[in-house]
Amino acid sequence: MKGYEINVHHITRVEGHGNVVVNVRDGRIEDLRLEIVEAPRFFEVMLEGRKWDEAASITARICGICAIGHTMASILASEDALGIVPDEETKLLRKLLIDGETIQSHILHLYFLVAPDFFNVGSVIPLAGTHPEVVKRALRLKKLGNEICEILAGRKIHPIGVLPGGFARWPLPEEILRVRKILEDARPDLEATVELFKTLKMPELERKTEYVALKAPGEYAFYTGDIASSLGKVTPPQTYLDRISERVVSHSAAKHVKAQAESYAVGARARLNINHEMLRPWAKGVLKALGLKPPLTNPFHNNTAQLIEVLHCYENAIEMCDELLARKGYVHRMKQPTKYGRGAGASEVPRGVLFHDYTLDADGRITKANCIIPTGQNLANIEADMHTLVGQMAGREPQEIQRGLEMLVRAYDPCISCATHFLEVRFV
């Protein structure tokens, strides 16, 4: 087949709106674009003029799926600007919340957005009729993360109890025990999830890629850490502007981002490639049982990495509960600001590393804000993978190529609405 056109208006089963455009003539790709067509959301502008203690609540609204992650990145940036160093117990509770959110987000993506491709159905709705137990299991696991957030941070989404300097309310021991019980009860559903995904064969695709994720001593970094690249450079999160650069592209309402290479990947696969030695035992064992050895170079294995991270977060969350329960007699006190200045924070959210950066005036009001979202960091890399996939599928029917491209975009678990949060506007 020498020529064809593909024009997917709004890819299905992704968060937000994006189009795929491909034009092939005489066997050569003349045009290939992943168009982000959502309107910008101007969250940085909303922050300007607001007090430092409002930022976490405002930025949590950037996303309904990774609201905990945005809250954490916001708090880390605020604490850096305020000279606050949280105590170890506060860090443990924050890590427990992140584990819960990662489980619910990855489960949502794997069961509701990815699995229908492998069952050859258009959405999860037909699966509710043909595979009701699978859908019920997915709903139970999705609920787990929301319950943890409600118990520990006051709401199922958009937490209100997580603040710079600590928590508005410290959970009672019986509440942490309840979280531990919820996690333990989920084990059979997680084991069944592993068995299900063992049966799914990922499409093949290989392309040399730079991976960027946080790295911290002694742990699989989610909460925070230094910026690490698979090309070998590790620097503190405050150096993020020296490590990555954004650029506007004409076909996207979200900027493209580069690091050392022309594009790079963030998210579960990047984290696993950089942190795999710190995986918990069950997660490490399942990765080995699947016959996979890092680095995972196939972008479709981002979904496999999500499954492995679900198991890791499950084990890690139980350990966080035990560590918190062992701190008998701990009395939580909020840490107070010691300065007002500029601060940057980085945290891993389900889709990759997230940067928040605030500058405060002498009254503690935000004068400048910058947020760089994981999906925006992945967009250039997705397009590069799309080029490789179209070349690899040369000779196939356009409908088959289109399906492959849609699966590829979905494999990255893009959160397009987050990525289009800001567009630079210049008035002349």
Side-chain angles (χ1 to χ4, degrees):
M1 185 175 296
K2 291 184 177 180
Y4 60 87
E5 292 182 1
I6 293 174
N7 193 340
V8 182
H9 185 67
H10 290 181
I11 308 163
T12 57
R13 283 185 276 131
V14 297
E15 199 292 322
H17 295 153
N19 303 334
V20 168
V21 176
V22 178
N23 189 346
V24 173
R25 288 285 176 270
D26 297 325
R28 188 172 63 87
I29 299 173
E30 290 190 341
D31 193 10
L32 187 153
R33 304 189 304 273
L34 174 58
E35 298 176 334
I36 304 305
V37 294
E38 290 221 5
R41 297 168 67 197
F42 302 107
F43 266 91
E44 284 99 335
V45 177
M46 292 182 207
L47 287 171
E48 291 182 10
R50 309 306 295 248
K51 292 281 287 186
W52 61 268
D53 55 357
E54 297 177 281
S57 296
I58 293 171
T59 55
R61 269 69 179 176
I62 291 175
C63 186
I65 300 171
C66 45
I68 290 281
H70 276 283
T71 300
M72 293 302 170
S74 176
I75 284 173
L76 289 166
S78 298
E79 290 179 341
D80 191 37
L82 297 165
I84 292 175
V85 179
D87 61 32
E88 291 304 312
E89 288 78 4
T90 294
K91 292 178 185 176
L92 290 174
L93 192 53
R94 289 175 180 176
K95 290 176 182 178
L96 176 54
L97 279 166
I98 291 170
D99 286 336
E101 177 173 84
T102 305
I103 292 171
Q104 70 88 13
S105 178
H106 284 353
I107 288 294
L108 169 70
H109 184 241
L110 290 170
Y111 273 103
F112 290 83
L113 307 182
V114 172
D117 283 322
F118 294 94
F119 286 95
N120 289 317
V121 294
S123 74
V124 73
I125 301 301
L127 291 181
T130 59
H131 300 76
E133 286 309 312
V134 171
V135 177
K136 288 178 183 176
R137 184 195 310 145
L139 290 170
R140 286 194 297 269
L141 290 171
K142 170 78 173 63
K143 184 180 176 185
L144 176 154
N146 296 129
E147 285 187 331
I148 292 175
C149 186
E150 183 177 35
I151 293 168
L152 301 178
R155 294 175 67 171
K156 287 185 169 62
I157 59 170
H158 301 149
I160 54 175
V162 194
L163 301 169
F167 283 78
R169 173 185 172 275
W170 194 256
L172 300 169
E174 51 265 38
E175 291 173 316
I176 298 174
L177 280 170
R178 186 179 159 202
V179 169
R180 197 186 193 289
K181 177 74 166 50
I182 289 171
L183 288 162
E184 285 182 319
D185 290 346
R187 176 102 188 188
D189 281 338
L190 291 174
E191 290 172 343
T193 300
V194 171
E195 294 306 310
L196 170 66
F197 280 87
K198 276 182 178 176
T199 66
L200 306 184
K201 180 174 172 50
M202 296 295 166
E204 296 292 335
L205 182 65
E206 299 289 334
R207 189 181 65 80
K208 191 174 181 181
T209 301
E210 179 184 5
Y211 303 100
V212 173
L214 297 180
K215 191 174 182 65
E219 63 183 271
Y220 189 101
F222 271 106
Y223 170 57
T224 193
D226 290 334
I227 305 166
S229 164
S230 57
L231 300 183
K233 203 171 180 181
V234 182
T235 60
Q238 288 78 10
T239 66
Y240 80 101
L241 287 176
D242 300 325
R243 297 292 305 274
I244 62 174
S245 59
E246 297 179 288
R247 65 184 185 279
V248 174
V249 293
S250 60
H251 61 276
S252 173
K255 293 176 181 176
H256 282 197
V257 187
K258 63 169 287 188
Q260 289 172 254
E262 284 303 307
S263 68
Y264 64 93
V266 297
R269 184 171 57 124
R271 279 192 297 267
L272 191 145
N273 285 343
I274 288 175
N275 290 290
H276 61 90
E277 291 180 353
M278 303 310 300
L279 283 170
R280 296 286 179 181
W282 187 20
K284 193 176 287 187
V286 170
L287 182 65
K288 185 177 180 182
L290 292 171
L292 297 171
K293 185 178 180 182
L296 304 184
T297 53
N298 178 350
F300 290 99
H301 274 311
N302 190 57
N303 301 144
T304 311
Q306 288 178 317
L307 172 66
I308 298 301
E309 284 193 339
V310 166
L311 308 181
H312 170 85
C313 289
Y314 167 83
E315 292 181 289
N316 198 65
I318 289 178
E319 183 172 313
M320 293 299 103
C321 288
D322 291 342
E323 286 203 32
L324 286 164
L325 290 167
R327 309 283 174 118
K328 294 178 181 176
Y330 168 71
V331 178
H332 182 64
R333 292 184 177 85
M334 294 286 292
K335 298 288 186 72
Q336 298 302 315
T338 60
K339 65 168 186 168
Y340 294 132
R342 181 189 166 219
S347 191
E348 288 281 352
V349 296
R351 289 154 195 81
V353 60
L354 167 66
F355 300 102
H356 280 219
D357 180 352
Y358 308 144
T359 301
L360 309 177
D361 66 14
D363 295 323
R365 293 189 181 276
I366 296 171
T367 59
K368 185 178 179 182
N370 187 31
C371 304
I372 299 183
I373 311 299
T375 293
Q377 296 174 67
N378 272 331
L379 289 176
N381 208 66
I382 298 174
E383 280 194 349
D385 281 348
M386 289 167 62
H387 271 272
T388 302
L389 184 63
V390 169
Q392 180 177 294
M393 298 184 77
R396 307 271 187 93
E397 292 297 322
Q399 294 84 355
E400 189 179 356
I401 297 171
Q402 176 178 325
R403 183 171 183 271
L405 289 169
E406 291 186 71
M407 286 182 67
L408 173 62
V409 175
R410 277 195 283 273
Y412 275 84
D413 191 11
C415 192
I416 293 172
S417 296
C418 285
T420 53
H421 65 123
F422 177 72
L423 182 69
E424 185 176 8
V425 179
R426 294 182 178 179
F427 297 96
V428 179

